[in-house]
Amino acid sequence: MRDAIVQFKTHSGMKKEAMKRAKAMGIDLTAVLNMLLYQFIEAKNVRLSFGDEEPTSHLLKIMKDHKQDIKKGDYVSFEDPRQALDFLQKRR
């Protein structure tokens, strides 16, 4: 039986966004918080997964830059890990 109330402060925008995302997943915010508490107690850690994550604009820019580097041939490739380690050690 759930008979305890847990209160904490957070930003109102964060609460609204969390409620919106929980609703989109078909659950309410109370269920999300109870799952986090259960996981924290049972696993003695907290693992967060957000399903289909969208890359940030910063990550998208980095990916675009790297695609351009690859097209230009401006990258290094290795056949085995030792070659990669040797390359990195020489760059120190």
Side-chain angles (χ1 to χ4, degrees), residues 36 39 46-51 53:
L36 285 170
Q39 181 184 35
V46 178
R47 292 184 186 194
L48 302 174
S49 175
F50 302 103
E53 294 182 26

Side-chain angles (χ1 to χ4, degrees), residues 62-90:
I62 291 171
M63 291 167 59
K64 181 181 175 185
D65 292 346
H66 285 287
K67 282 182 182 178
Q68 290 172 353
D69 290 344
I70 290 168
K71 283 181 182 178
K72 291 188 284 186
D74 188 14
Y75 65 95
V76 180
S77 180
F78 306 99
E79 292 297 320
D80 84 44
R82 286 176 291 226
Q83 289 176 328
L85 290 173
D86 288 344
F87 175 80
L88 291 172
Q89 287 174 350
K90 289 177 186 174

Side-chain angles (χ1 to χ4, degrees), residues 1-86:
M1 174 165 127
R2 294 180 182 173
D3 60 354
I5 296 173
V6 177
Q7 290 183 316
F8 63 95
K9 292 188 178 229
T10 189
H11 299 281
S12 61
M14 186 181 299
K15 179 185 174 190
K16 287 177 188 174
E17 184 64 25
M19 291 175 73
K20 178 179 153 186
R21 288 178 185 237
K23 184 177 180 180
M25 295 172 70
I27 56 178
D28 61 17
L29 189 55
T30 298
V32 171
L33 296 175
N34 276 317
M35 286 186 279
L36 285 170
L37 287 172
Y38 179 79
Q39 181 184 35
F40 180 66
I41 291 164
E42 292 299 313
K44 297 180 183 91
N45 67 33
V46 178
R47 292 184 186 194
L48 302 174
S49 175
F50 302 103
D52 295 334
E53 294 182 26
E54 295 292 324
T56 63
S57 58
H58 177 69
L59 180 57
L60 288 171
K61 181 187 179 317
I62 291 171
M63 291 167 59
K64 181 181 175 185
D65 292 346
H66 285 287
K67 282 182 182 178
Q68 290 172 353
D69 290 344
I70 290 168
K71 283 181 182 178
K72 291 188 284 186
D74 188 14
Y75 65 95
V76 180
S77 180
F78 306 99
E79 292 297 320
D80 84 44
R82 286 176 291 226
Q83 289 176 328
L85 290 173
D86 288 344

